[in-house]
Amino acid sequence: ARARTVGELLAPTAPFDKKCGRENWTVAFAPDGSYLAWSQGHRIVKLVPWAQCLNNFLLHGTKDGADAVGTRLPRQGGEGAHKSRPCEHVIDCGDIVWGLAFGSSVPDKQSRCVNIEWHRFKFGQDQLLLATGLNNGRIKIWDVYTGKLLLNLMDHTEVVRDLTFAPDGSLILVSASRDKTLRVWDLKDDGNMMKVLRGHPNWVYGCAFSPDSSILCSVGASKAVFLWDMDKYSMLRKLEGHHNDVVACEFSPDGALLATASYDTRVYVWDPHIGVILREFGHLFPPPTPIFAGGANDRWVRSVCFSHDGLHVASLADDKMVRFWRIDEEYPVQVAPLNNGLCCTFSTDGSVLAAGTQDGSVYFWAAPSQVSSLQHLCRMAIRRVMPTSHVKKLPIPCKVLEFLCYQI
């Protein structure tokens, strides 16, 4: 089946605009669904209210809706702008933007640095931040509602390729860089760098927190997939199975599964708690042998993300296709054409998939909708609170254990 197109946001282009530097390396939705952010290329990040964006798609159709978002939304300080309404912002970050991440605060979640009593910033419950990872190794933190720069973090020595906030509202930020390190920052402590995670032999391409913020996955060159204990800041295990650079990762909503995308033309779905591959989604048939997995096969997988129902995975590859997979089926359930795609992510409510391209634009499709089985609902409910090892120790019949476990 072909996925239904929802709309598109086209980056403006000048007659002599250089193609290099226009890439949209990252797209992000705010945790509360209020904003969409994407890197338009040439240092620019665009922030638009997501609800108004969707309304424009519905009112004006695909192409006209893209123009409407650029012209009809109230800008900050404009006549139509109100403090109570989300406003569009265009942010110049000063360098090429590689990573984006939204972070929101939970007031009673204390900073891990307990000795410092005075801070420049007091983050309340209504605070929404945007972190931008730049080509020069800096990370800039912006206030989403005002578009103002709050912090400038400067410890990385190479490109900051990816960023992720802990989902627990602690404003702990992790950055992945080409300098082969991950760095942990505490924004409630004015952006203090708490820890450097070392172990990657080469570039780090991406990182993602588990839903309970206890585990971090990082992926990179040299087939690297690492899991980190974020309470002890130590490595839990390495996941081995990919045959080329691993470029993207994401946990399922219940934390029981992990999806990783690689240049070896495959997406793997793992049980991260025991290090086992549960499902392989191949993008080249027949799949290449390990020695040829990194060849020029036009099937490099660029991005992967989990839907919010925990039942679907989306992937984006160099063969000009976006694919939607069910975690329990071998072949895609929906596909869509996309030229030069680089990144993808689901909207906060899981209804829309957004994908960024090399020309700085974003395209949107309706996510597959399906009624979850009783088994899937039961698995999601128990796996939110229990890892695999704990489930297998429950004093319940073997058949019920099988029912509650994701099987190979």
Side-chain angles (χ1 to χ4, degrees), residues 87-286:
C87 296
E88 175 189 335
H89 299 292
V90 177
I91 297 174
D92 186 343
C93 295
D95 207 340
I96 296 171
V97 181
W98 288 83
L100 286 177
F102 281 99
S104 57
S105 173
V106 175
D108 57 359
K109 195 78 177 179
Q110 295 298 318
S111 167
R112 294 197 183 188
C113 186
V114 296
N115 295 325
I116 297 178
E117 298 179 357
W118 179 87
H119 297 93
R120 284 181 294 163
F121 301 106
K122 301 293 183 183
F123 294 113
Q125 194 164 10
D126 59 346
Q127 191 83 33
L128 185 60
L129 306 179
L130 179 70
T132 56
L134 306 182
N135 195 66
N136 59 10
R138 295 191 177 189
I139 302 166
K140 292 187 176 180
I141 311 296
W142 308 83
D143 185 314
V144 171
Y145 299 130
T146 64
K148 292 181 179 179
L149 178 65
L150 298 179
L151 291 168
N152 195 355
L153 312 178
M154 298 183 290
D155 279 281
H156 280 295
T157 58
E158 294 285 346
V159 172
V160 178
R161 187 62 186 84
D162 196 22
L163 297 163
T164 182
F165 275 97
D168 61 5
S170 62
L171 288 184
I172 298 296
L173 173 70
V174 175
S175 54
S177 172
R178 287 184 181 175
D179 65 12
K180 306 179 187 178
T181 68
L182 297 129
R183 294 175 191 256
V184 186
W185 314 81
D186 185 352
L187 296 196
K188 287 194 174 182
D189 186 19
D190 291 340
N192 175 50
M193 192 187 71
M194 304 161 55
K195 200 73 178 176
V196 180
L197 304 180
R198 305 182 191 275
H200 279 268
N202 215 313
W203 291 0
V204 190
Y205 280 103
C207 54
F209 268 103
S210 63
D212 64 0
S213 303
S214 66
I215 299 175
L216 180 82
C217 175
S218 63
V219 297
S222 308
K223 315 173 192 177
V225 182
F226 295 166
L227 296 178
W228 307 83
D229 182 330
M230 293 307 287
D231 291 323
K232 300 176 182 177
Y233 301 116
S234 60
M235 190 182 296
L236 283 172
R237 63 178 58 89
K238 300 178 184 179
L239 303 182
E240 297 182 352
H242 279 296
H243 304 299
N244 203 333
D245 294 359
V246 189
V247 294
C249 60
E250 189 164 73
F251 282 90
S252 61
D254 60 2
L257 303 175
L258 172 71
T260 57
S262 170
Y263 287 163
D264 66 9
T265 77
R266 298 171 174 90
V267 166
Y268 286 153
V269 178
W270 309 76
D271 184 328
H273 303 283
I274 56 177
V276 172
I277 298 171
L278 300 178
R279 177 69 68 182
E280 175 184 322
F281 297 134
H283 294 66
L284 180 62
F285 299 98

Side-chain angles (χ1 to χ4, degrees), residues 212 253-256 379-388 390-391:
D212 64 0
D254 60 2
R379 284 189 305 203
M380 290 273 288
I382 197 164
R383 295 311 297 273
R384 287 182 190 276
V385 295
M386 282 190 180
T388 307
H390 291 182
V391 173

